[in-house]
Each structure stands twice: as C-alpha cells, then as structure tokens.
Amino acid sequence: MDKKITNYIIYAVFIVLLFLSTLFKSFSTDVLWPKDQNAKGSFDGIIFSDPQDISGLNVTRTIFKENNKNLVKYDVSFLYEGDFGNLRILGNPVSQIFLPNKMNPVFSDVTLKGEYNKINNALFQENLKLKDLYKKVPDHEFSTTSKIRVPLDKEVPEVKFSMLYEPRQITHGLKGNIAQNAVFVTNARVESFRDTTKQEKGIKNESKNFQESGYYVNSIEVINEKQIKSISFESTLNSIVFIISLATAILLIWLDKNKSQVPLLISMMLSIMTVSRFLDKGATTFGILFIWTITGYLASLLSYAITSEENKIKTRDFKRSIAWTLIFLLVNIIVFIIPRTF
C-alpha cells in the first residue's frame, strides 16, 4: 500500500479517537452552560380574566441591586371598570405584594395555558439579542407559572401595587454571570411602559416590546458586553486553530518528510485542545488532566508511526512520547487549569 495512504489511514484513526474522546461526560455543553446555574425562568406580569375591563394600565420597571442581589421591580397601576373579576400574577415574586384595602390575594399554584408558546418563539427567534446563547441552556423557554390570584372588585376601581422579582441570570461556566433578563407579559392594553434601569459602564440594556396573540410583551436584557465579546472571540479563535491544525496535519502527511514529526505532533495536540470547544462543549478539569493526556500520548505514538519509514513505532518512541505528553500536560495546566482558579 502507498505510504501516504497508510499515513492518512493512521491519521484517520487519530481523528476517530479524537471525536470519541469528546463523548465522555467530562466534555459537555453543561460545562459551558451549567444547568444548576441557569435555572428555568418564568414570565413576569399580570393576566386578567376580563382584560376589556382594564384601562389606564401603566407599568414602570427598574432593575437594581440590593444586598448583592439583583432585583427587578414593577410598579403597576390601572383602573378597573368591571364588577367582579380576577388577575393572576405571573412568576414568583420574592416579597409580599401590598395591595389596596379590600383586595385579598389567594394562593393558587397553576401553570397558565394559552398562546405562551408563541411568545417564547417570538422571543427566541427574533426579539432577544442573546437568543443564540440562551438556546444553549436546557429548558431556556420561559414558563407560565402563577402562584397568586387576586380578586378584583368594583368597589376598588383604582389599583396600585408593586411586584419584586429576581431577574433570570445567564451564567457561563468559565466567565460567570454574563447577562440577566426579565420579560413582562400582560393580556390587557398597556397605556405606558417605562424602563428606569440605570445604564452602567460596560453593561448594555436592551429592551424591546411587541404584541403576540393578544398579549403585550416587554423584555429587557442587561448584558455584560465585555464578557459576551470575550466568549465570541475565544470561540472563533478556537475554531480557527482547530481547522488550521487539521489542515496542517493533512499537508504535512502529504509532504511526507521524516523531519515533520514535531510539527505534526504539535498540530495533533492543538486538535486535542480545541476539538471539544469546536463542538460547543466544555472540558472539565478531569477531562483536561486525564483524557487529554491519554489522547496526547496516543497522538505522539501515532505521529512517530506516520513519520517513520515503515510506519512502525519503535521502543524508544514509547519513552519519547512520555516526555512529549508531560510537556503537553504542563501546557494544559498553564493554559486551562490555572486560569480557572482565579
């Protein structure tokens, strides 16, 4: 068999091993987007049983920090023109809601039905700026939980109250919190909706409102632009390095030079370091220290086989591969492990 063909077969074996290694639990999307730090969010808002009886609905939203905790506050006011009705408060307010006299809230834990799936589709297809990042999080769609029902009465025509929530946090496994968002939904006509959230340095507030299936929707995203740009840059750079490492290895095999073992090995080890991120997976400390190290040792042996005259691995190659693997391990510790401790 032609030596180049044999070399490409050996390299193909390496590629198969490379992609198989990413199937271990040590490599997963959950490393980059941890499930326990990206809890499923719920819509905020108020849903009326008879929205035609509501007029002059005004909402003011503010996101602020209190005791190192981010909170979103909605100040709501409206006029009730019906006889008897109900409103439901969406989501899970984090503090008591003080209502006007004669309005007594009732605990009632339900999941509301309706066209909320269309609202989610509109948010994650068009309206949220970071929609592509949110989709990497399992159960990224907003839920329609409601635990509070408030009876409405014609004896209380003017209603004012405030609701306090925790905004939904979006957390990257290596960068920490990169954004927070809140989505207000109501089925009544909104006369005025104001955002009074302060714009901080390096933080961008993206708000948008739209109508969907009879619901008014107003979303806000508080985005750490520096971290978002860093994630995008690192992902792009990783993909470029991975593709170049493959192309370099293929070119070196084609040139078929005996002195190409070191550059071939370097390209193969770069492929190991970048393949998981190329597949949009993160690597755990165990994966970096053990699985990458084992794969690196096998890559070293295969690089000797490819660049030898008879495609054979000699006894001394096993010892030299240990040295290369230790260097590879040290580089991984410096580049990937140590930065995680800060």
Side-chain angles (χ1 to χ4, degrees), residues 10-73:
I10 295 173
Y11 185 70
V13 170
F14 164 73
I15 294 298
V16 171
L17 292 173
L18 184 65
F19 281 95
L20 287 177
S21 69
T22 63
L23 298 179
F24 286 97
K25 291 183 179 180
S26 296
F27 305 98
S28 70
T29 302
D30 191 51
V31 177
L32 297 178
W33 305 99
K35 294 178 183 177
D36 57 341
Q37 297 178 41
N38 288 287
K40 186 173 184 176
S42 173
F43 289 121
D44 306 334
I46 46 179
I47 301 298
F48 298 93
S49 59
D50 301 297
Q52 70 276 4
D53 293 335
I54 305 301
S55 65
L57 176 58
N58 294 282
V59 182
T60 300
R61 176 174 56 202
T62 307
I63 294 181
F64 62 98
K65 183 169 286 188
E66 186 176 86
N67 298 324
N68 287 327
K69 181 182 288 187
N70 291 312
L71 296 171
V72 54
K73 181 183 179 183

Side-chain angles (χ1 to χ4, degrees), residues 67-135:
N67 298 324
N68 287 327
K69 181 182 288 187
N70 291 312
L71 296 171
V72 54
K73 181 183 179 183
Y74 297 96
D75 295 311
V76 179
S77 65
F78 61 86
L79 298 175
Y80 180 60
E81 302 170 346
D83 292 325
F84 298 98
N86 291 282
L87 73 80
R88 277 199 166 275
I89 295 176
L90 282 170
N92 301 300
V94 296
S95 67
Q96 184 178 354
I97 297 174
F98 295 97
L99 295 161
N101 292 333
K102 297 184 180 180
M103 293 184 68
N104 299 310
V106 178
F107 177 79
S108 176
D109 190 356
V110 299
T111 298
L112 300 185
K113 305 296 183 182
E115 301 294 323
Y116 298 104
N117 61 319
K118 293 184 178 180
I119 298 175
N120 270 312
N121 289 338
L123 285 168
F124 291 106
Q125 290 180 11
E126 303 174 29
N127 293 284
L128 291 176
K129 184 176 179 63
L130 300 182
K131 54 186 179 293
D132 293 332
L133 289 184
Y134 300 147
K135 291 175 184 178

Side-chain angles (χ1 to χ4, degrees), residues 8 11-12 14-16 18-19 238-254 263-264 266-272 274-275 278-279:
Y8 280 123
Y11 185 70
F14 164 73
I15 294 298
V16 171
L18 184 65
F19 281 95
N238 181 93
S239 297
I240 291 172
V241 172
F242 179 73
I243 293 170
I244 290 176
S245 70
L246 295 181
T248 300
I250 293 171
L251 177 61
L252 289 170
I253 293 172
W254 176 261
L264 176 62
I266 292 174
S267 69
M268 293 170 77
M269 287 185 168
L270 284 174
S271 296
I272 295 170
T274 55
V275 64
F278 181 77
L279 298 174

Side-chain angles (χ1 to χ4, degrees), residues 37-39 70 166-171 177 179-181:
Q37 297 178 41
N38 288 287
N70 291 312
E166 287 187 26
R168 184 177 183 179
Q169 306 290 332
I170 307 300
T171 302
N177 182 264
Q180 51 189 323
N181 60 36

